[in-house]
Amino acid sequence: MSLPSKEGSRVREQAGTPAEPNGGKAAGMASLPYRRYLKKQRLAFWQIVISRLALLAALLALWEIAARLGWVDSMLTSSPSQLAGSFRELALEGGLWKHTWTTGLETLIGIAASMIAGTLIAVVFWWSTYASRVLEPYIVVLNALPKVALGPIFYIWLGDRYSVYGMAVAISVIVTIMMIENGFKEMARTKLKLMQSFGATKLQMLTMVMLPASVPNIIATLKVNVGLTLVGVIMGEFLSSKAGLGYLIIYGGQVFQMDLVMVSICLLALMSVALYGIVNGIGWLLAKKFRHD
């Protein structure tokens, strides 16, 4: 059996016929199922999106019909049409944007403060086993303590404005410490022992291994803190604030304006979705950066 000569291969290439005709066919056959798979995935994605929107539209329509037909008392439950009118009036007055901005700023500051403080404390616990063993029972007790009980203390210590930040940080910082510390403990010890064998210091291990490897855990903690901090901000505004969406909810309940309460709750839902989307974007960028590195 003779092997094909170089000349024959060159002639086939000039004629437009590949040297291995089965290779091109196999590549085409492999790409076609893959294209079908991608098309199926896109179709499934849009089906989910459309189903979500359809479910939301159905719930709003049922709410509106129930209010118009008298199945529920619109003075107690309001209705989508009344919410739209109230939102338009409040937006034109300008006070709604002020209260939304106040709550949003307090939430962002609370998230940043709790993440920075919680990460630093978790690093201290990893750095010093002695400090971790001494302070761990206090962390457990503080985590189990109902944070709303600290509201009057924060109000006396920090005043009506800064007590909101105190409440937000108190709710989220303990969870931050526990989640990031657990992430440090679950880190593979083989990498750390390898660095120790090369004479690396704890600071080098922290900056070169621990923190970069903890990015997914930090992003997960940040996602949890979005909800917790927002809860803390609203609780703080319930207790002492003179501005913010929590203040609007309390005021609307006191004067029996359910439209105002419902509009504030809808804005809180939109704010939580926006914050969660920002955190997802940050997580995607960090994951891409460290995967590239």
Side-chain angles (χ1 to χ4, degrees):
M1 182 177 181
S2 61
L3 295 175
S5 63
K6 294 182 180 179
E7 229 175 274
S9 299
R10 191 179 302 112
V11 170
R12 284 194 298 269
E13 289 176 4
Q14 290 175 356
T17 305
E20 295 180 8
N22 292 333
K25 182 184 286 187
M29 293 176 63
S31 61
L32 182 60
Y34 183 66
R35 288 198 299 269
R36 290 177 178 173
Y37 169 78
L38 292 179
K39 183 178 180 180
K40 185 178 179 181
Q41 291 297 313
R42 287 193 296 268
L43 181 61
F45 171 77
W46 285 111
Q47 285 178 344
I48 293 174
V49 172
I50 294 172
S51 298
R52 289 173 178 174
L53 295 176
L55 178 61
L56 178 61
L59 292 175
L60 292 176
L62 179 61
W63 185 9
E64 182 70 25
I65 293 172
R68 288 181 180 272
L69 296 180
W71 297 348
V72 295
D73 190 349
S74 60
M75 289 187 62
L76 299 178
T77 62
S78 188
S79 66
S81 58
Q82 292 178 1
L83 289 182
S86 299
F87 180 83
R88 184 169 56 252
E89 292 177 5
L90 292 171
L92 292 176
E93 292 175 359
L96 186 63
W97 307 119
K98 171 189 173 184
H99 292 292
T100 304
W101 168 253
T102 299
T103 300
L105 182 61
E106 290 169 346
T107 303
L108 290 175
I109 294 176
I111 291 173
S114 61
M115 286 298 298
I116 293 172
T119 303
L120 290 177
I121 295 173
V123 168
V124 170
F125 285 177
W126 170 79
W127 195 287
S128 174
T129 306
Y130 176 78
S132 176
R133 290 180 177 178
V134 170
L135 298 177
E136 186 175 1
Y138 297 97
I139 297 296
V140 173
V141 171
L142 289 175
N143 184 52
L145 181 68
K147 308 304 184 299
V148 68
L150 302 176
I153 297 176
F154 288 140
Y155 181 78
I156 295 172
W157 288 356
L158 304 175
D160 59 350
R161 179 181 178 185
Y162 294 104
S163 61
V164 178
Y165 299 110
M167 182 66 69
V169 173
I171 286 181
S172 55
V173 70
I174 304 300
V175 175
T176 303
I177 296 171
M178 297 178 70
M179 290 186 66
I180 294 181
E181 184 188 9
N182 288 334
F184 285 168
K185 289 179 180 179
E186 293 174 359
M187 200 75 63
R189 296 183 179 274
T190 54
K191 294 182 180 180
L192 300 181
K193 290 181 179 179
L194 180 62
M195 293 191 70
Q196 285 179 346
S197 65
F198 283 105
T201 63
K202 273 199 168 184
L203 182 60
Q204 289 174 329
M205 288 189 288
L206 177 67
T207 56
M208 298 175 66
V209 176
M210 299 295 290
L211 291 179
S214 298
V215 168
N217 187 38
I218 292 174
I219 295 301
T221 306
L222 192 57
K223 291 179 180 179
V224 174
N225 275 346
V226 167
L228 291 178
T229 307
L230 195 55
V231 169
V233 167
I234 296 303
M235 288 174 57
E237 290 177 350
F238 281 174
L239 294 172
S240 60
S241 181
K242 297 178 181 178
L245 295 177
Y247 168 78
L248 285 184
I249 293 173
I250 289 294
Y251 175 77
Q254 289 174 346
V255 299
F256 214 71
Q257 292 184 6
M258 294 306 297
D259 295 344
L260 184 59
V261 175
M262 292 295 186
V263 168
S264 301
I265 293 174
C266 291
L267 286 174
L268 284 175
L270 293 175
M271 185 182 298
S272 63
V273 170
L275 291 173
Y276 194 82
I278 292 172
V279 171
N280 274 337
I282 294 173
W284 181 80
L285 290 175
L286 290 177
K288 184 179 179 181
K289 177 181 183 302
F290 284 100
R291 184 170 59 246
H292 177 73
D293 293 342

